[in-house]
Amino acid sequence: MMGRPEGLKLIDENGRRIDGRKKYELRPLKMEVGVLKSADGSAYVEWGKNKILAAVYGPREIHPKHLQKPDRAILRVRYNMAPFSVEERRKPGPDRRSIEISKVIRGALEPAVILELFPRTSIDVFIEVLQADAGTRVAGITAASLALADAGIPMRDLVAACAAGKVDGEIVLDLNKEEDNYGEADVPVAIMPIKNDITLLQMDGYLTKEEFLEAVRLAIKGAKAVYQKQREALKEKYLKIAEEVGE
């Protein structure tokens, strides 16, 4: 969390946040599935000002062969922020943060994917952040999960993600860029909603035990709302296919 400019208020006296939302309100969320013809599965997510594209390839043979697992597929995830995704142009290519978030996202997705059905193969997930506005890892998980489903990869459930945090002493849902930079804490959570399994739980900042539990509960509630949007996006694609087949 960065030092805050003097006089900046993130929550006003009426409980409204800097972008006009209430404390427990998600940013605007838009999802589309099957946006890339060249990929086996793909998804595009706009979440607030975040714009994220995910593509899935596989299952496919791994090269070099010594990377193969005899009893299951391996899930490989590459998270990347485009050089133009932030205000100050980023150096192209992976950095330490991108490598760390790639591993975090892989860990969040692995419990959902039935990898043992595809031994000696890889399932490759590419997540490209076109525009960043805080919460890119939860948006990336959400987009990647949709792309895996679009690729027809067998899954135990979709993985939906959301973050909560502490801003001006209040626990709030889905931090935006200013709240992430100048707030007191951020708690990203990913879940498989059917069984309420948590596949990602992190915390950046400082919270009491009670605040932490409140943030986790709120993030899970937000993730369940995201899950409904994921389901709607998948249904919309296959309704279009059914209409095209029927014509």
Side-chain angles (χ1 to χ4, degrees):
M1 306 294 167
M2 297 169 59
R4 184 190 301 196
E6 191 174 343
L8 177 65
K9 287 187 73 174
L10 298 174
I11 300 179
D12 67 19
E13 56 276 4
N14 298 316
R16 289 283 176 178
R17 296 155 70 177
I18 197 166
D19 56 9
R21 285 183 293 149
K22 299 174 183 176
K23 288 193 295 184
Y24 303 149
E25 194 174 343
L26 284 169
R27 289 175 287 179
L29 193 53
K30 173 187 170 186
M31 301 181 191
E32 189 176 351
V33 175
V35 293
L36 298 175
K37 289 184 180 178
S38 61
D40 294 318
S42 59
Y44 174 70
V45 171
E46 286 187 10
W47 191 330
K49 295 177 184 175
N50 287 313
K51 296 184 178 183
I52 295 179
L53 192 61
V56 169
Y57 298 86
R60 57 187 181 181
E61 190 176 356
I62 304 177
H63 296 286
K65 288 196 172 185
H66 73 265
L67 295 174
Q68 292 180 355
K69 299 281 186 182
D71 59 341
R72 64 184 180 91
I74 64 169
L75 185 68
R76 300 191 290 197
V77 175
R78 178 182 178 271
Y79 164 99
N80 182 61
M81 293 182 71
F84 51 81
S85 62
V86 289
E87 290 175 5
E88 292 185 13
R89 186 180 181 276
R90 294 182 73 257
K91 184 179 177 182
D95 56 16
R96 189 169 68 179
R97 180 177 179 274
S98 295
I99 292 167
E100 178 211 339
I101 293 178
S102 297
K103 289 180 179 179
V104 165
I105 293 176
R106 185 186 71 206
L109 294 171
E110 271 184 335
V113 183
I114 307 177
L115 297 170
E116 55 269 27
L117 293 178
F118 306 103
R120 303 183 186 280
T121 67
S122 72
I123 298 168
D124 297 311
V125 181
F126 297 90
I127 300 163
E128 196 73 19
V129 180
L130 306 176
Q131 184 169 289
D133 182 46
T136 58
R137 78 185 61 193
V138 296
I141 289 167
T142 298
S145 177
L146 276 175
L148 284 163
D150 183 48
I153 306 294
M155 298 169 72
R156 295 175 178 89
D157 194 3
L158 291 169
V159 180
C162 192
K166 186 178 179 183
V167 174
D168 284 357
E170 304 273 359
I171 302 299
V172 302
L173 182 65
D174 188 19
L175 277 63
N176 62 26
K177 182 180 176 182
E178 291 81 10
E179 293 169 336
D180 187 48
N181 286 344
Y182 307 124
E184 294 99 84
D186 180 36
V187 182
V189 175
I191 62 169
M192 293 193 295
I194 288 175
K195 290 189 175 179
N196 264 340
D197 289 339
I198 292 175
T199 64
L200 168 70
L201 176 57
Q202 293 183 299
M203 186 176 83
D204 178 27
Y206 299 95
L207 295 171
T208 66
K209 179 182 175 182
E210 291 73 21
E211 287 171 337
F212 173 73
L213 291 173
E214 183 184 350
V216 170
R217 283 192 291 267
L218 185 57
I220 289 172
K221 187 176 179 181
K224 287 180 177 179
V226 170
Y227 181 69
Q228 292 306 317
K229 290 275 189 181
Q230 288 175 307
R231 288 169 58 88
E232 287 166 16
L234 287 166
K235 283 179 185 176
E236 189 174 327
K237 178 191 174 177
Y238 291 104
L239 282 172
K240 283 181 183 175
I241 292 173
E243 287 171 5
E244 288 169 5
V245 169
E247 288 176 358

